[in-house]
Amino acid sequence: MNPLPVECPRCAFEEISLLATSPVPGVWDVVQCGRCLYTWRTIEPARRTRRDAYPDSFKLTAEDIENAIEVPAVPPLLK
Amino acid sequence: MAYDDLRSFLDTLEKEGQLLRITDEVLPEPDLAAAANATGRIGENAPALHFDNVKGFTDARIAMNVHGSWANHALALGLPKNTPVKEQVEEFARRWDAFPVAPERREDAPWRENTQEGEDVDLFSVLPLFRLNDGDGGFYLDKAAVVSRDPEDPDDFGKQNVGTYRIQVIGTNRLAFQPVPMHDVAQHLRKAEEKGEDLPIAITLGNDPVMAIVAGMPMAYDQSEYEMAGALRGAPAPIATAPLTGFDVPWGSEVVIEGVIESRKRQIEGPFGEFTGHYSGGRRMPVIRVDRVSYRTNPVFESLYLGMPWTECDYLVGPNTCVPLLKQLRAEFPEVQAVNAMYTHGLMVIISTAKRYGGFAKAVGMRAMTTPHGLGYVAQVILVDEDVDPFNLPQVMWAMSAKVNPKDDVVVIPNLSVLELAPAAQPAGISSKMIIDATTPVAPDVRGNFSTPAKDLPETAEWAARLQRLIAARG
């Protein structure tokens, strides 16, 4: 396993966890942001793995995540 | 020829020259998705792709674009690979009439060979997961046949649903799941969540080619997809009992994932590049906890690329969208000859119809918008004469260019319902809809100068068949 990335390319959150490592040791890891759940493989192109190269149109903020609508909405409990 | 699993269909595709094995090493991203994306850019008879040398993996087998050409779609239905599209749709419609065909239960399912349970579940160890499009939030299962039951009527076989939904892998044993509100599984989930209960679910991957077609077909709530698969296959669909949920799942699946949708929980999902050619997402969606995975030895992971059409998705849901619309229209208007609803799952449709009297074609167009599928789709309808093939776009363009007087033949109706994913809707879920009547006016509609059409010669149909025979015989 290689050192974990320090920030999420999409939302800049700094808690990144390891989901999987390559069956061939040391080739790649699959990692995930603890906030927006963005998941990436460490050898993907920079446009998917580096904050400075990640497209602005797909970036998320803490507010975006907090305000995301529920689909479908949770229904009321029957009494 | 009915295929009982994905592997036997891949064998046929290979024998027919419709499977390309890529043995050079490729990157999981972006190569797998880019190659599948490219199949939609190299003509109509692109092959399925099989990869087994993917960087960092030791034991990956990945099949893509399995339904991604008219040749492959024809073979999936057991038809010759050169069967024209219109004939594939007609044969599909003919077989539909055999519904329901009872399935055949078998208990020796090959996916019983291997199991992971509870804490040991690790989807990444079973599936060579990968990303499709740049903006996707993660790795997706996008060609699964997902089985759920009505919590209020769990023993009703017809209400047991088999559908395809987008599923994001958000952990080694966790998935995010999109039940579109108008789909059957959303009804199952609502009933469970109203009682505060989890909804058991079985997600089957790598299925026989007809299962994938019926899982994506708009069917009535109480109609069984397995009984429709039997009709389309011309043989009972083989099913088996999933060990944890007890649900009926395809006998031939490569992988069966079982667990529950956790009640009343939502988590951030997506985005995901959708069949509309646009992303949707950044919403909070239900989550699944996986409790058991059963899989064949050396499983084949089947995935589907989708994005800007045409992609495999358009072939997969093309005929299976045309046929329900054709059946529903013909039930009231037997004049309807054919329906081409293959553009973006029927957001636009082309209908050929004979005319009972002046104004009739526009009525057919309005009816298409008010069918069950039309309520969420059918934003544009083009009506053409009974002798115009709606699958032949040059003919359709001819009809539009020669027959349409825009002032009287283009009708726009404001503020109708459409699915929320439709990118042009404003607001989401609301759209104007348009009828373009490109049929020849008939009495009492006496507009235009159409009295002397130049029709095909009487002998042309015979010659067309003869030429096709000669070309086929030439090999």
Side-chain angles (χ1 to χ4, degrees):
Chain A
M1 170 186 159
N2 300 304
L4 286 174
V6 295
E7 68 173 350
C8 170
R10 184 162 80 167
C11 79
F13 196 61
E14 293 181 352
E15 283 177 25
I16 307 300
S17 61
L18 179 73
L19 279 186
T21 58
S22 53
V24 178
V27 179
W28 45 254
D29 296 315
V30 176
V31 295
Q32 184 177 53
C33 171
R35 178 168 67 183
C36 78
L37 303 184
Y38 181 67
T39 303
W40 71 100
R41 193 184 321 270
T42 49
I43 60 166
E44 287 193 68
R47 64 183 192 267
R48 301 177 183 180
T49 55
R50 279 185 22 202
R51 177 71 177 167
D52 59 355
Y54 197 79
D56 286 341
S57 56
F58 293 119
K59 283 180 179 166
L60 287 181
T61 64
E63 277 181 350
D64 293 334
I65 299 161
E66 222 161 85
N67 297 331
I69 57 167
E70 289 182 352
V71 178
V74 177
L77 277 171
L78 292 179
K79 296 192 176 151
Chain B
M1 172 73 198
Y3 302 98
D4 287 351
D5 62 5
L6 175 64
R7 296 180 189 198
S8 56
F9 184 52
L10 294 179
D11 288 344
T12 292
L13 290 176
E14 187 154 35
K15 283 182 201 132
E16 294 278 354
Q18 286 300 125
L19 177 87
L20 186 63
R21 290 186 185 275
I22 296 173
T23 54
D24 292 343
E25 185 180 75
V26 300
L27 292 167
E29 297 88 8
D31 283 340
L32 293 167
N37 188 178
T39 60
R41 306 292 179 259
I42 58 171
E44 284 202 343
N45 287 321
L49 304 178
H50 185 279
F51 299 90
D52 59 5
N53 187 1
V54 185
K55 190 176 180 70
F57 288 100
T58 52
D59 198 26
R61 283 157 299 274
I62 297 164
M64 300 193 76
N65 207 50
V66 169
H67 291 77
S69 63
W70 290 124
N72 286 20
H73 188 273
L75 292 167
L77 293 175
L79 298 169
K81 68 178 178 183
N82 58 357
T83 307
V85 181
K86 190 181 176 191
E87 281 180 32
Q88 292 190 40
V89 175
E90 284 172 355
E91 176 63 12
F92 196 121
R94 193 186 65 74
R95 293 186 193 177
W96 171 294
D97 293 336
F99 173 85
V101 173
E104 172 192 320
R105 188 172 299 277
R106 301 180 193 167
E107 294 305 347
D108 56 345
W111 43 258
R112 287 182 180 274
E113 288 166 355
N114 306 278
T115 300
Q116 292 181 351
E117 277 184 288
E119 297 289 301
D120 295 330
V121 168
D122 179 4
L123 294 170
F124 287 89
S125 73
V126 178
L127 302 168
L129 299 161
F130 58 95
R131 186 190 318 279
L132 291 171
N133 279 304
D134 280 347
D136 288 357
F139 305 167
Y140 275 79
L141 311 177
D142 68 347
K143 205 180 177 185
V146 179
V147 185
S148 60
R149 288 189 178 176
D150 186 331
E152 291 174 357
D153 203 356
D155 297 327
D156 187 305
F157 187 78
K159 290 181 184 171
Q160 175 175 259
N161 182 62
V162 185
T164 300
Y165 308 97
R166 81 187 209 194
I167 305 169
Q168 183 182 356
V169 179
I170 56 170
T172 52
N173 67 342
R174 297 190 74 76
L175 306 165
F177 183 73
Q178 176 180 260
V180 173
M182 60 277 275
H183 287 166
D184 293 351
V185 72
Q187 295 193 49
H188 296 173
L189 179 63
R190 181 179 50 76
K191 291 177 182 182
E193 289 193 320
E194 282 174 346
K195 292 192 279 188
E197 293 175 357
D198 294 342
L199 182 75
I201 198 149
I203 298 163
T204 70
L205 292 166
N207 287 307
D208 77 74
V210 169
M211 267 323 297
I213 290 172
V214 296
M217 182 155 47
M219 292 177 58
Y221 183 68
D222 59 355
Q223 288 182 330
S224 165
E225 286 80 5
Y226 294 122
E227 292 174 346
M228 180 59 77
L232 294 180
R233 285 158 50 93
I239 59 171
T241 306
L244 182 66
T245 54
F247 290 175
D248 303 304
V249 295
W251 170 87
S253 302
E254 292 289 323
V255 179
V256 177
I257 297 168
E258 294 177 275
V260 294
I261 303 183
E262 294 180 329
S263 188
R264 311 182 69 77
K265 191 177 282 185
R266 301 289 185 268
Q267 215 161 354
I268 192 81
E269 188 268 358
F272 183 59
E274 274 284 1
F275 70 95
T276 60
H278 295 77
Y279 289 87
S280 81
R283 297 172 297 181
R284 302 167 75 85
M285 299 232 185
V287 290
I288 292 171
R289 183 191 72 235
V290 178
D291 295 318
R292 185 176 176 121
V293 183
S294 310
Y295 56 100
R296 291 182 77 157
T297 301
N298 301 327
V300 179
F301 177 45
E302 187 189 15
S303 180
L304 169 150
Y305 177 81
L306 75 176
M308 181 179 169
W310 272 53
T311 70
E312 181 185 358
C313 186
D314 297 290
Y315 294 100
L316 182 63
V317 302
N320 78 3
T321 309
C322 297
V323 174
L325 274 172
L326 175 70
K327 293 290 180 188
Q328 289 155 12
L329 288 172
R330 267 194 194 155
E332 288 153 332
F333 302 133
E335 291 87 348
V336 172
Q337 303 296 304
V339 174
N340 178 356
M342 299 200 300
Y343 304 99
T344 321
H345 204 5
L347 268 178
M348 188 190 124
V349 305
I350 307 165
I351 301 168
S352 77
T353 182
K355 289 84 57 185
R356 211 177 286 178
Y357 31 66
F360 183 75
K362 290 184 179 70
V364 172
M366 286 187 273
R367 181 69 188 97
M369 291 174 178
T370 58
T371 57
H373 190 68
L375 295 175
Y377 292 81
V378 194
Q380 300 175 50
V381 191
I382 300 169
L383 286 310
V384 294
D385 286 330
E386 64 273 31
D387 60 352
V388 172
D389 176 358
F391 295 94
N392 183 329
L393 294 189
Q395 282 188 14
V396 174
M397 292 298 110
W398 165 74
M400 285 180 61
S401 58
K403 307 279 189 183
V404 172
N405 181 332
K407 177 175 166 294
D408 297 320
D409 291 323
V410 178
V411 181
V412 177
I413 307 162
N415 296 329
L416 297 184
S417 62
V418 76
L419 84 162
E420 293 189 349
L421 288 178
Q426 180 58 36
I430 293 292
S431 176
S432 63
K433 295 194 175 183
M434 174 173 68
I435 294 170
I436 300 176
D437 183 355
T439 62
T440 309
V442 296
D445 185 357
V446 293
R447 296 170 301 123
N449 304 286
F450 299 107
S451 61
T452 52
K455 297 269 189 191
D456 276 2
L457 298 172
E459 299 81 4
T460 296
E462 193 182 312
W463 262 100
R466 184 168 167 185
L467 292 178
Q468 282 168 340
R469 277 199 308 275
L470 288 168
I471 290 165
R474 195 182 55 174

